Amino acid sequence: MSDGNPTPRAGAPAAVVRDAVVLAGGRASRLGGADKPSLVVGGQSLLHRALRASAGSRRTVVVGPEHHALPDGVLRSREEPAFGGPVAALHAGLRALADVPPPASPGPPGPAGPAPWVLLLAADLPKAEEAVADLLSVAAEAGASMDGVCLQDPEGRWQWLAGLYRRASLQSELDRLGRVEGASLRRLLTPLRLRAVTSTAGRDVDTEEDLRAARSAPGLADSAPALRQRRIEARDEH
């Protein structure tokens, strides 16, 4: 079921001209094969949170299974083969964006072709909007020598699926890599000149513990109606 048309977070910087690739596939093996993008946190699915965070992009493509309902105007793609990994999914998303012209916008015509920046975002980030706002605020000031900005957690681990990257840099690394199926995203992105943005907003939902933590976090805690609905659904499954 669709969550409706996402709207951008108030006050998020918009100076970086970007397209968005939202990765919504994967096997979620540590969650028992659950459909992670459909998990609800704070009354919204994780996919909807990612699409809200992507609002303001010229075009957005969701790479994942076809059963996810998408708002009008959001593109759909799938990595080949299915479950071929995040690099294969990124490749499929960039290819889908290249095949569709950007939407017309009011005012003077903008540059033709794909946007110069690509927002790469996983569909399992409860704080997706906060993550993108952090990225945009830094990317807006990135010099020409930088290939992108990427979140790092406070322990210094790169959160590759919460980043803004120059499209030309991504494509150059993809061309150099060659085979995308099963390729390492870390191997693809490590050669890039990236600015780290230290934040906890890139923490994803990989386990039941992560999901419980997200559902009880300040600002994300589920409302009473959402909790009641989830109890009803759980009861009906038994």
PDB file of all heavy atoms in Angstrom, residues 11-31:
ATOM      1  N   GLY A  11      12.803  22.982   5.770  1.00  0.00           N
ATOM      2  CA  GLY A  11      14.099  23.562   6.062  1.00  0.00           C
ATOM      3  C   GLY A  11      15.276  22.817   5.483  1.00  0.00           C
ATOM      4  O   GLY A  11      16.412  23.222   5.680  1.00  0.00           O
ATOM      5  N   ALA A  12      15.043  21.700   4.767  1.00  0.00           N
ATOM      6  CA  ALA A  12      16.163  20.942   4.207  1.00  0.00           C
ATOM      7  C   ALA A  12      16.800  21.741   3.084  1.00  0.00           C
ATOM      8  O   ALA A  12      16.111  22.303   2.230  1.00  0.00           O
ATOM      9  CB  ALA A  12      15.686  19.599   3.680  1.00  0.00           C
ATOM     10  N   PRO A  13      18.133  21.832   3.027  1.00  0.00           N
ATOM     11  CA  PRO A  13      18.789  22.559   1.949  1.00  0.00           C
ATOM     12  C   PRO A  13      18.454  21.946   0.596  1.00  0.00           C
ATOM     13  O   PRO A  13      18.299  20.742   0.476  1.00  0.00           O
ATOM     14  CB  PRO A  13      20.280  22.395   2.268  1.00  0.00           C
ATOM     15  CG  PRO A  13      20.330  22.052   3.707  1.00  0.00           C
ATOM     16  CD  PRO A  13      19.085  21.281   3.990  1.00  0.00           C
ATOM     17  N   ALA A  14      18.322  22.766  -0.426  1.00  0.00           N
ATOM     18  CA  ALA A  14      17.937  22.257  -1.738  1.00  0.00           C
ATOM     19  C   ALA A  14      18.867  22.735  -2.833  1.00  0.00           C
ATOM     20  O   ALA A  14      18.550  22.641  -4.004  1.00  0.00           O
ATOM     21  CB  ALA A  14      16.493  22.687  -2.050  1.00  0.00           C
ATOM     22  N   ALA A  15      20.040  23.266  -2.487  1.00  0.00           N
ATOM     23  CA  ALA A  15      20.922  23.860  -3.482  1.00  0.00           C
ATOM     24  C   ALA A  15      21.632  22.827  -4.337  1.00  0.00           C
ATOM     25  O   ALA A  15      22.138  23.149  -5.405  1.00  0.00           O
ATOM     26  CB  ALA A  15      21.961  24.743  -2.785  1.00  0.00           C
ATOM     27  N   VAL A  16      21.696  21.581  -3.913  1.00  0.00           N
ATOM     28  CA  VAL A  16      22.421  20.545  -4.643  1.00  0.00           C
ATOM     29  C   VAL A  16      21.472  19.891  -5.642  1.00  0.00           C
ATOM     30  O   VAL A  16      20.499  19.237  -5.254  1.00  0.00           O
ATOM     31  CB  VAL A  16      22.994  19.495  -3.670  1.00  0.00           C
ATOM     32  CG1 VAL A  16      23.729  18.410  -4.447  1.00  0.00           C
ATOM     33  CG2 VAL A  16      23.916  20.138  -2.653  1.00  0.00           C
ATOM     34  N   VAL A  17      21.745  20.073  -6.923  1.00  0.00           N
ATOM     35  CA  VAL A  17      20.896  19.488  -7.966  1.00  0.00           C
ATOM     36  C   VAL A  17      21.202  18.004  -8.043  1.00  0.00           C
ATOM     37  O   VAL A  17      22.332  17.607  -8.345  1.00  0.00           O
ATOM     38  CB  VAL A  17      21.143  20.177  -9.327  1.00  0.00           C
ATOM     39  CG1 VAL A  17      20.271  19.546 -10.396  1.00  0.00           C
ATOM     40  CG2 VAL A  17      20.868  21.674  -9.211  1.00  0.00           C
ATOM     41  N   ARG A  18      20.209  17.193  -7.785  1.00  0.00           N
ATOM     42  CA  ARG A  18      20.443  15.765  -7.598  1.00  0.00           C
ATOM     43  C   ARG A  18      19.306  14.924  -8.138  1.00  0.00           C
ATOM     44  O   ARG A  18      18.159  15.361  -8.213  1.00  0.00           O
ATOM     45  CB  ARG A  18      20.618  15.475  -6.101  1.00  0.00           C
ATOM     46  CG  ARG A  18      19.374  15.799  -5.287  1.00  0.00           C
ATOM     47  CD  ARG A  18      19.670  15.984  -3.816  1.00  0.00           C
ATOM     48  NE  ARG A  18      18.443  16.261  -3.043  1.00  0.00           N
ATOM     49  CZ  ARG A  18      17.933  17.469  -2.879  1.00  0.00           C
ATOM     50  NH1 ARG A  18      18.505  18.512  -3.457  1.00  0.00           N
ATOM     51  NH2 ARG A  18      16.832  17.648  -2.174  1.00  0.00           N
ATOM     52  N   ASP A  19      19.638  13.687  -8.480  1.00  0.00           N
ATOM     53  CA  ASP A  19      18.685  12.600  -8.638  1.00  0.00           C
ATOM     54  C   ASP A  19      18.850  11.689  -7.427  1.00  0.00           C
ATOM     55  O   ASP A  19      19.832  11.808  -6.678  1.00  0.00           O
ATOM     56  CB  ASP A  19      18.963  11.808  -9.918  1.00  0.00           C
ATOM     57  CG  ASP A  19      18.661  12.599 -11.178  1.00  0.00           C
ATOM     58  OD1 ASP A  19      17.713  13.414 -11.156  1.00  0.00           O
ATOM     59  OD2 ASP A  19      19.366  12.407 -12.187  1.00  0.00           O
ATOM     60  N   ALA A  20      17.913  10.789  -7.225  1.00  0.00           N
ATOM     61  CA  ALA A  20      17.979   9.896  -6.067  1.00  0.00           C
ATOM     62  C   ALA A  20      17.808   8.449  -6.503  1.00  0.00           C
ATOM     63  O   ALA A  20      16.946   8.139  -7.328  1.00  0.00           O
ATOM     64  CB  ALA A  20      16.915  10.260  -5.045  1.00  0.00           C
ATOM     65  N   VAL A  21      18.645   7.589  -5.934  1.00  0.00           N
ATOM     66  CA  VAL A  21      18.529   6.140  -6.118  1.00  0.00           C
ATOM     67  C   VAL A  21      18.264   5.550  -4.741  1.00  0.00           C
ATOM     68  O   VAL A  21      19.108   5.633  -3.842  1.00  0.00           O
ATOM     69  CB  VAL A  21      19.814   5.536  -6.715  1.00  0.00           C
ATOM     70  CG1 VAL A  21      19.690   4.016  -6.820  1.00  0.00           C
ATOM     71  CG2 VAL A  21      20.103   6.139  -8.084  1.00  0.00           C
ATOM     72  N   VAL A  22      17.080   4.975  -4.577  1.00  0.00           N
ATOM     73  CA  VAL A  22      16.674   4.374  -3.315  1.00  0.00           C
ATOM     74  C   VAL A  22      16.733   2.860  -3.464  1.00  0.00           C
ATOM     75  O   VAL A  22      16.060   2.285  -4.326  1.00  0.00           O
ATOM     76  CB  VAL A  22      15.252   4.820  -2.914  1.00  0.00           C
ATOM     77  CG1 VAL A  22      14.807   4.111  -1.632  1.00  0.00           C
ATOM     78  CG2 VAL A  22      15.202   6.340  -2.730  1.00  0.00           C
ATOM     79  N   LEU A  23      17.545   2.218  -2.638  1.00  0.00           N
ATOM     80  CA  LEU A  23      17.704   0.763  -2.719  1.00  0.00           C
ATOM     81  C   LEU A  23      16.712   0.098  -1.769  1.00  0.00           C
ATOM     82  O   LEU A  23      16.775   0.294  -0.550  1.00  0.00           O
ATOM     83  CB  LEU A  23      19.131   0.351  -2.362  1.00  0.00           C
ATOM     84  CG  LEU A  23      20.251   0.975  -3.211  1.00  0.00           C
ATOM     85  CD1 LEU A  23      21.562   0.239  -2.964  1.00  0.00           C
ATOM     86  CD2 LEU A  23      19.907   0.972  -4.692  1.00  0.00           C
ATOM     87  N   ALA A  24      15.801  -0.691  -2.343  1.00  0.00           N
ATOM     88  CA  ALA A  24      14.726  -1.315  -1.567  1.00  0.00           C
ATOM     89  C   ALA A  24      14.693  -2.819  -1.763  1.00  0.00           C
ATOM     90  O   ALA A  24      13.643  -3.450  -1.567  1.00  0.00           O
ATOM     91  CB  ALA A  24      13.375  -0.701  -1.954  1.00  0.00           C
ATOM     92  N   GLY A  25      15.817  -3.408  -2.166  1.00  0.00           N
ATOM     93  CA  GLY A  25      15.876  -4.858  -2.324  1.00  0.00           C
ATOM     94  C   GLY A  25      16.591  -5.493  -1.153  1.00  0.00           C
ATOM     95  O   GLY A  25      16.568  -4.987  -0.031  1.00  0.00           O
ATOM     96  N   GLY A  26      17.256  -6.585  -1.408  1.00  0.00           N
ATOM     97  CA  GLY A  26      17.977  -7.280  -0.349  1.00  0.00           C
ATOM     98  C   GLY A  26      17.137  -8.368   0.282  1.00  0.00           C
ATOM     99  O   GLY A  26      15.911  -8.344   0.222  1.00  0.00           O
ATOM    100  N   ARG A  27      17.824  -9.307   0.923  1.00  0.00           N
ATOM    101  CA  ARG A  27      17.139 -10.480   1.474  1.00  0.00           C
ATOM    102  C   ARG A  27      16.741 -10.319   2.933  1.00  0.00           C
ATOM    103  O   ARG A  27      15.953 -11.102   3.454  1.00  0.00           O
ATOM    104  CB  ARG A  27      18.032 -11.729   1.332  1.00  0.00           C
ATOM    105  CG  ARG A  27      18.362 -12.067  -0.118  1.00  0.00           C
ATOM    106  CD  ARG A  27      19.167 -13.353  -0.192  1.00  0.00           C
ATOM    107  NE  ARG A  27      19.612 -13.641  -1.536  1.00  0.00           N
ATOM    108  CZ  ARG A  27      18.878 -14.277  -2.452  1.00  0.00           C
ATOM    109  NH1 ARG A  27      17.647 -14.665  -2.164  1.00  0.00           N
ATOM    110  NH2 ARG A  27      19.366 -14.514  -3.654  1.00  0.00           N
ATOM    111  N   ALA A  28      17.299  -9.328   3.634  1.00  0.00           N
ATOM    112  CA  ALA A  28      16.980  -9.105   5.044  1.00  0.00           C
ATOM    113  C   ALA A  28      17.119 -10.392   5.852  1.00  0.00           C
ATOM    114  O   ALA A  28      16.264 -10.725   6.669  1.00  0.00           O
ATOM    115  CB  ALA A  28      15.572  -8.531   5.190  1.00  0.00           C
ATOM    116  N   SER A  29      18.210 -11.099   5.649  1.00  0.00           N
ATOM    117  CA  SER A  29      18.385 -12.404   6.287  1.00  0.00           C
ATOM    118  C   SER A  29      18.445 -12.283   7.810  1.00  0.00           C
ATOM    119  O   SER A  29      18.012 -13.187   8.534  1.00  0.00           O
ATOM    120  CB  SER A  29      19.654 -13.078   5.762  1.00  0.00           C
ATOM    121  OG  SER A  29      20.793 -12.249   5.955  1.00  0.00           O
ATOM    122  N   ARG A  30      18.963 -11.169   8.326  1.00  0.00           N
ATOM    123  CA  ARG A  30      19.054 -11.004   9.782  1.00  0.00           C
ATOM    124  C   ARG A  30      17.720 -10.604  10.406  1.00  0.00           C
ATOM    125  O   ARG A  30      17.591 -10.545  11.637  1.00  0.00           O
ATOM    126  CB  ARG A  30      20.129  -9.958  10.116  1.00  0.00           C
ATOM    127  CG  ARG A  30      21.531 -10.376   9.681  1.00  0.00           C
ATOM    128  CD  ARG A  30      22.530  -9.263   9.858  1.00  0.00           C
ATOM    129  NE  ARG A  30      22.714  -8.899  11.261  1.00  0.00           N
ATOM    130  CZ  ARG A  30      23.406  -7.831  11.662  1.00  0.00           C
ATOM    131  NH1 ARG A  30      23.942  -7.015  10.765  1.00  0.00           N
ATOM    132  NH2 ARG A  30      23.547  -7.563  12.951  1.00  0.00           N
ATOM    133  N   LEU A  31      16.725 -10.357   9.544  1.00  0.00           N
ATOM    134  CA  LEU A  31      15.369 -10.078  10.018  1.00  0.00           C
ATOM    135  C   LEU A  31      14.415 -11.187   9.576  1.00  0.00           C
ATOM    136  O   LEU A  31      13.209 -10.944   9.441  1.00  0.00           O
ATOM    137  CB  LEU A  31      14.894  -8.723   9.487  1.00  0.00           C
ATOM    138  CG  LEU A  31      15.087  -7.527  10.419  1.00  0.00           C
ATOM    139  CD1 LEU A  31      14.803  -6.236   9.682  1.00  0.00           C
ATOM    140  CD2 LEU A  31      14.200  -7.643  11.648  1.00  0.00           C
TER     141      LEU A  31
END
